[in-house]
């Protein structure tokens, strides 16, 4: 099959009209795709597989796309209907069947993902999720990374000292990135966010909309105004547009050929809108007779690309009925062999479930990151703020690692570079990225559109190519549009692809309240919503030195990291430290004893560290209670050993955080202490947090809502008295 395919691709690109041999090969691929679907449907009915969604009706468009592109050279972000594309790129029916049964030998995911969720590093097909449209932003970031490596090939060099040791980089100056969705999925904001950046940066992304007229049961005219996506996107600058009969493989191939040529030439992105049809219901869980009248379904069947192509081969005397039957039998045999193989394949091992949640390669809790004590800080060095030392770390790391890009809202000094001759530059609303664009240039430090999913989605695309995006979400309060990308893509890519792909992005986010007037939308906490996500590291330093060392570990490590920076701590006087040098790192999962004590353990982090310290000092002075304070520093992973050692010593424990009490971070810590250290406790585990409400604007309300040193002191006294 490999030979037939590559010869088809070779002559297709040169020929003016498709020779019979290639038409037969196209039909064979379309048929193979349909027969794999049919066999899966049978297996699902026999309960031998557990889910089925077909590409039936999309085969012509998908084969046309595949033949215009180059597997293992171009990049692919397809969706679940692209079975024929995957086959035409080199994915085999056996590989598809192995995924359908959830075999250990399922190449794409090792039994973790549903069928049709393709992935193949060899073919440059990136693992896809079930979330519609998210992958378009990955495609954009992937194209940006390809361009970056082409302009800076030295950035692809390997080094053994950080995540780069595990990221092989390949790139080609004229590569194209293919990304497809259904027409219904174009209603997602992320569709428009992807087109925005591809257009603005003239990226070689080939967007394909496979329009079958329905999104499950919702007809196209209910999804979008006017019912035609081509009309809606027509005014995006820099695009090549094509609208094509996606049931005609030759017309589709031609449309893709022109689109690919445009992208390869570096002229900008392309948009191919193919009108295809749905030969079956949406999936095997759907019955389209419930919402489509019979006449409509029958009319649609007349457009079935497989039926039309077969008729054409006969009509044009390319194949006889007997030859078609022979071809069909050979395809059947191939599919049967694939099914037989899959049904006897080994199943995944339960013991391996937790593999690839995080990187196997590089452990950020390891001694490799414990350089804290090796660095010598000059005794006369000036103390610097947390904001300064984060900025210093970003400068150091960007100097050291050419694969780092920094972007987000307003992070550049000035997007219009010429302005920098006259102005100082902004460098972030909190000035944390000040001077980076001036030192490293606008290719590496730039402003994003005001779209948080765009920021994180593109970062995933950059990172899976081996780059290290260190992006900023301007305020934690506005991270929510990116939550979908964080929860369903960023954190899970490595696990769902069984370790084939990874996207070790760093997301820096100013968080928290105590701002006096910060109000609802500039004071939020909510870290436990992120520590609840496997695959994501969550860090929250409380002082300048920790921020510097932990950010360095975040950047050098091989996992995605959410780096939470408390705004109130950025420029405090009490948490400053001298600059510790360009290699100062702190491992994750190691708490710091802020204050040793013997009567009570206070587990905390972030802005509650200085507030807890105030409370503890008053407890000592006024009540002779000696409180031991542990600053967790990283929230996932967290330092259970230090908590346990301290609680065994003091027998009393209080967990204090700024976020709301109910369902907060402290609930997990308290539950684990109660469960595992029950015998060591002389009192119930207590918690301090904010009221279960929002943070209000008026300072007397804000003070009452957020925990204060008084609140903590009262809890200490109650607990000691118990
Ligand atoms: C973000 C998201 N929302 C909802 C769903 C559930 N869902 C799966 S497919 C689908 C319809 C997609 O329609 P369309 O984009 O037209 O693609 P088609 O299946 O018709 O090819 C929906 C709503 C999902 N997978 N992801
Ligand atoms: Mg559709």
């Amino acid at each position: 099959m490999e030979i037939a395919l590559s010869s088809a691709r070779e002559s297709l690109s040169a020929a003016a009209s498709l020779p019979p041999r290639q038409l037969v090969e196209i039909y064979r691929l379309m048929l193979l795709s349909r027969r794999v679907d049919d066999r899966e449907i049978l297996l699902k009915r026999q309960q031998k597989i557990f889910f089925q969604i077909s590409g039936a009706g999309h085969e012509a468009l998908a084969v046309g796309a595949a033949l215009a592109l180059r597997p293992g050279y171009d990049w692919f972000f397809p969706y679940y209907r692209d079975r024929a594309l995957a086959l035409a790129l080199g994915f085999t029916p056996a590989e598809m069947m192995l995924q359908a049964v959830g075999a250990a030998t399922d190449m794409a995911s090792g039994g973790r993902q549903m069928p049709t969720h393709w992935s193949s590093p060899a073919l440059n097909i990136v693992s896809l999720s079930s979330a519609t449209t998210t992958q378009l932003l990955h495609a954009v970031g992937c194209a940006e990374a390809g361009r970056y490596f082409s302009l800076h090939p030295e950035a692809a060099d390997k080094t053994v000292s950080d995540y780069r040791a595990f990221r092989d980089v390949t790139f080609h100056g004229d590569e194209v990135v293919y990304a497809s969705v259904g027409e219904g999925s174009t209603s997602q904001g992320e569709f428009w966010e992807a087109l925005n950046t591809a257009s603005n940066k003239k990226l070689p992304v080939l967007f394909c909309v496979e329009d079958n007229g329905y999104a499950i049961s919702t007809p196209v005219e209910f999804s979008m105004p006017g019912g035609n996506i081509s009309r809606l996107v027509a005014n995006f600058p820099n695009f090549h547009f094509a609208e094509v009969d996606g049931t005609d493989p030759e017309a589709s191939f031609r449309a893709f050929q022109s689109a690919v040529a445009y992208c390869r030439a570096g002229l900008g992105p392309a948009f191919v809108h193919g009108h295809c049809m749905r030969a079956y219901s949406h999936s095997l869980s759907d019955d389209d007779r419930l919402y489509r009248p019979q006449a409509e379904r029958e009319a649609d069947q007349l457009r079935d690309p497989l039926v039309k192509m077969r008729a054409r081969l006969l009509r044009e005397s390319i194949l006889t009925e007997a030859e078609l039957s022979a071809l069909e039998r050979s395809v059947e045999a191939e599919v049967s062999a694939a099914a037989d193989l899959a049904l006897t394949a080994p199943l995944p091992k339960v013991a391996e479930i937790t593999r690839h949640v995080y990187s196997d390669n590089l452990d950020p809790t390891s001694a490799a990151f414990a350089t804290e004590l090796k660095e010598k800080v000059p005794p006369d060095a000036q103390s610097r703020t947390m904001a300064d030392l984060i900025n210093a770390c970003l400068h150091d790391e960007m100097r050291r690692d050419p694969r780092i890009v920094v972007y987000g809202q307003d992070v550049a000094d000035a997007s219009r570079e010429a302005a920098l001759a006259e102005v100082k530059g902004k460098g972030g609303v909190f000035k944390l990225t000040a001077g980076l664009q001036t030192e490293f240039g606008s290719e590496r430090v730039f402003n994003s559109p005001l779209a948080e999913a765009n920021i994180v989605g593109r970062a995933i695309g950059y990172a899976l190519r081996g780059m290290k995006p260190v992006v900023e979400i301007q305020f934690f309060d506005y991270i929510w549009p990116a939550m979908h990308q964080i929860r369903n893509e960023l954190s899970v890519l490595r696990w769902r692809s069984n370790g084939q792909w990874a996207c070790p992005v760093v997301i820096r986010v100013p968080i928290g309240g105590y701002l006096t007037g910060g109000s609802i939308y500039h004071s939020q906490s909510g870290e436990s919503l992120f520590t609840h996500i496997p695959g994501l590291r969550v860090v929250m330093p409380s002082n300048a030195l920790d921020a510097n060392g932990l950010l360095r570990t975040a950047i050098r490590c091989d996992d995605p990291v959410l780096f939470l920076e408390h705004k109130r701590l950025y420029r405090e006087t009490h948490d400053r430290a001298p600059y510790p040098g360009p290699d100062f790192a702190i491992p994750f999962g190691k708490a710091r004893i802020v204050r040793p004590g013997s009567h009570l353990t206070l587990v905390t982090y972030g802005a509650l560290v200085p507030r807890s310290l105030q409370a503890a000092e008053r407890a000592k002075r006024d009540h002779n209670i000696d409180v031991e304070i542990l600053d967790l520093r990283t929230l996932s992973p967290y330092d259970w050993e230090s908590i346990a050692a301290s609680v065994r010593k003091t027998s009393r424990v209080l967990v204090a955080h700024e976020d709301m009490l109910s369902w907060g971070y402290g609930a997990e810590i308290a539950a684990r202490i109660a469960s595992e250290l029950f015998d060591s406790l002389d009192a119930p585990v207590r918690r301090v947090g904010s009221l279960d409400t929002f943070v209000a604007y008026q300072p007397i309300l804000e003070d009452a809502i957020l925990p204060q040193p008084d609140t903590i002191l009262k809890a200490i006294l109650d607990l000691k008295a118990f």
Side-chain angles (χ1 to χ4, degrees):
M1 189 184 110
E2 260 303 295
I3 293 161
L5 261 183
S6 48
S7 64
R9 184 170 285 107
E10 207 175 285
S11 19
L12 280 179
S13 43
S17 67
L18 298 182
R21 198 167 60 87
Q22 271 86 47
L23 291 174
V24 172
E25 176 56 13
I26 286 172
Y27 177 66
R28 194 189 72 80
L29 286 164
M30 291 168 58
L31 183 68
L32 186 62
S33 178
R34 185 70 62 93
R35 288 294 168 264
V36 174
D37 273 326
D38 291 341
R39 180 55 65 107
E40 281 190 2
I41 289 168
L42 191 67
L43 292 172
K44 171 75 172 76
R45 296 211 161 105
Q46 296 169 339
Q47 298 183 2
K48 290 181 176 159
I49 68 169
F50 318 100
F51 181 77
Q52 211 284 329
I53 190 158
S54 88
H58 289 233
E59 296 96 339
L61 187 68
V63 170
L67 295 183
L69 289 154
R70 297 164 68 179
Y73 185 100
D74 296 318
W75 286 77
F76 299 89
F77 294 81
Y79 84 119
Y80 49 82
R81 296 261 186 248
D82 282 330
R83 188 187 294 287
L85 173 111
L87 287 167
L89 291 176
F91 223 84
T92 67
E95 287 160 357
M96 293 182 174
M97 290 286 181
L98 287 168
Q99 191 168 40
V101 301
T105 44
D106 152 32
M107 263 203 5
S109 79
R112 292 170 176 195
Q113 289 237 77
M114 289 172 155
T116 72
H117 289 55
W118 338 103
S119 169
S120 168
L123 301 171
N124 287 352
I125 303 177
V126 179
S127 160
L128 58 133
S129 75
S130 303
T132 62
T133 324
T134 45
Q135 79 276 21
L136 300 196
L137 286 165
H138 309 166
V140 169
C142 173
E144 292 178 270
R147 175 180 289 174
Y148 183 83
F149 280 124
S150 300
L151 294 171
H152 305 280
E154 71 289 348
D157 291 349
K158 266 201 170 177
T159 157
V160 292
S161 58
D162 55 39
Y163 72 96
R164 283 173 287 178
F166 315 104
R167 301 267 88 79
D168 285 326
V169 174
T170 57
F171 58 91
H172 306 280
D174 63 349
E175 65 190 37
V176 175
V177 181
Y178 168 89
S180 57
V181 282
E183 88 296 334
S185 301
T186 65
S187 301
Q188 294 280 353
E190 291 176 45
F191 170 81
W192 301 95
E193 292 182 20
L195 263 61
N196 174 342
T197 300
S199 167
N200 226 351
K201 295 184 106 174
K202 284 184 148 191
L203 294 167
V205 182
L206 166 49
F207 295 93
C208 170
V209 172
E210 303 186 19
D211 186 347
N212 57 18
Y214 275 89
I216 307 186
S217 67
T218 308
V220 59
E221 72 276 18
F222 287 82
S223 284
M224 69 186 72
N228 184 318
I229 192 63
S230 282
R231 289 202 357 232
L232 299 182
V233 300
N235 282 333
F236 270 103
N238 302 324
F239 262 93
H240 167 94
F241 291 108
E243 190 172 357
V244 66
D245 176 359
T247 64
D248 177 343
E250 195 168 355
S252 298
F253 169 66
R254 295 295 176 212
F256 282 113
Q257 220 180 13
S258 311
V260 168
Y262 183 86
C263 293
R264 268 207 217 296
L267 299 173
F271 189 94
V272 175
H273 175 195
H275 291 277
C276 33
M277 52 85 68
R278 218 173 59 186
Y280 301 157
S281 292
H282 170 76
S283 72
L284 225 58
S285 318
D286 173 50
D287 179 358
D288 68 355
R289 288 170 304 185
L290 296 175
Y291 52 85
R292 294 184 84 177
Q294 190 175 349
E296 183 195 313
R297 285 189 293 114
E298 283 171 6
D300 216 20
Q301 292 304 327
L302 298 177
R303 298 179 58 240
D304 185 328
L306 210 68
V307 176
K308 290 202 313 180
M309 190 63 182
R310 192 181 197 282
R312 178 180 170 188
L313 295 178
L314 278 174
R315 191 175 62 243
E316 295 180 11
S317 302
I318 294 170
L319 289 182
T320 64
E321 190 64 61
E323 287 166 333
L324 276 167
S325 297
L327 178 67
E328 283 153 8
R329 276 197 304 279
S330 101
V331 164
E332 268 306 337
E334 188 179 350
V335 172
S336 288
D340 292 347
L341 180 125
L343 289 171
T344 55
L347 297 182
K349 291 195 175 60
V350 170
E352 298 207 343
I353 289 171
T354 55
R355 247 198 109 187
H356 303 306
V357 173
Y358 299 101
S359 171
D360 278 354
N361 302 317
L362 193 55
D363 177 2
T365 69
S366 71
F369 291 98
T371 64
E372 326 170 56
L373 304 175
K374 288 186 208 143
E375 299 287 321
K376 291 215 172 23
V377 178
D380 57 345
Q382 221 192 359
S383 273
R384 294 168 64 179
T385 63
M386 187 197 251
D388 277 350
L389 288 195
I390 289 173
N391 180 269
C393 179
L394 291 169
H395 272 95
D396 289 344
E397 291 303 299
M398 288 195 79
R399 257 172 232 143
R400 178 182 167 274
D401 178 356
R403 294 197 201 170
I404 297 176
V405 287
V406 168
Y407 64 90
Q409 292 151 19
D410 306 298
V411 302
D413 291 323
S415 292
R416 294 177 180 156
E417 288 176 8
L420 287 171
E422 291 172 42
V423 298
K424 183 158 169 270
K426 182 151 181 82
V429 292
F430 295 102
K431 307 244 177 308
L432 275 275
T433 51
L436 293 176
Q437 182 200 358
T438 305
E439 180 170 347
F440 301 105
S442 306
E443 254 183 324
R444 296 185 65 195
V445 184
F446 48 90
N447 287 335
S448 70
L450 207 172
E452 287 74 13
N454 174 294
I455 295 171
V456 176
R458 286 162 64 195
I460 293 168
Y462 266 112
L464 61 85
R465 295 293 300 271
M467 290 196 60
K468 176 65 76 167
V470 181
V471 300
E472 182 177 294
I473 296 289
Q474 197 163 73
F475 293 91
F476 184 84
D477 313 65
Y478 308 120
I479 199 168
W480 312 119
M483 190 58 160
H484 189 36
Q485 287 285 350
I486 293 172
R487 174 63 181 80
N488 282 336
E489 304 291 344
L490 178 77
S491 313
V492 70
L493 179 65
R494 187 191 295 271
W495 189 84
R496 79 174 183 229
S497 65
N498 209 12
Q500 285 182 333
W501 299 101
C503 51
V505 171
V506 179
I507 308 176
R508 293 184 34 254
V509 197
I511 188 172
Y514 299 106
L515 304 182
T516 312
S519 185
I520 307 165
Y521 301 104
H522 296 84
S523 306
Q524 288 176 26
S525 297
E527 55 277 9
S528 61
L529 295 166
F530 294 87
T531 53
H532 193 58
I533 301 176
L536 185 66
R537 309 287 191 182
V538 182
V539 180
M540 192 159 174
S542 71
N543 60 74
L545 193 65
D546 286 354
N548 184 279
L550 290 166
L551 182 58
R552 189 160 281 109
T553 302
I555 291 173
R556 294 186 188 183
C557 88
D558 197 31
D559 292 316
V561 181
L562 185 69
F563 195 84
L564 301 173
E565 302 169 359
H566 203 291
K567 302 185 282 275
R568 189 69 174 81
L569 302 178
Y570 270 153
R571 294 184 169 82
E572 292 281 77
T573 47
H574 56 72
D575 63 11
R576 298 183 182 191
Y579 168 68
D583 282 310
F584 175 81
I586 297 174
F588 290 172
K590 304 282 181 281
R592 185 173 66 96
I593 298 179
V594 179
R595 180 187 194 287
S598 55
H599 294 142
L600 187 151
T601 301
L602 203 173
V603 179
T604 188
Y605 54 88
L608 279 226
V609 172
R611 284 158 186 78
S612 296
L613 200 54
Q614 281 182 41
E617 272 154 16
R618 278 164 51 195
K620 176 69 186 162
R621 193 187 62 214
D622 301 339
H623 307 277
N624 204 26
I625 302 173
D626 230 349
V627 177
E628 176 148 300
I629 300 179
L630 287 188
D631 175 0
L632 289 180
R633 310 200 285 188
T634 58
L635 307 183
S636 178
Y638 65 91
D639 188 350
W640 174 247
E641 282 69 35
S642 293
I643 295 172
S646 180
V647 172
R648 285 197 188 101
K649 183 173 76 177
T650 64
S651 305
R652 285 181 159 74
V653 60
L654 174 67
V655 188
H657 53 64
E658 174 180 340
D659 197 7
M660 286 174 284
L661 193 70
S662 301
W663 325 109
Y665 186 81
E668 173 65 24
I669 304 295
R672 186 159 177 202
I673 293 170
S675 157
E676 294 184 32
L677 301 173
F678 185 72
D679 292 343
S680 305
L681 291 173
D682 286 343
V685 185
R686 285 283 158 85
R687 289 178 291 150
V688 163
S690 73
L691 302 184
D692 288 343
T693 177
F694 309 92
V695 179
Y697 173 69
Q698 165 53 241
I700 60 160
L701 301 181
E702 181 187 313
D703 283 354
I705 290 164
L706 295 178
Q708 306 298 335
D710 278 349
T711 335
I712 303 168
L713 180 62
K714 183 171 178 315
I716 291 172
L717 297 179
D718 285 354
L719 196 51
K720 187 67 179 70
F722 187 86

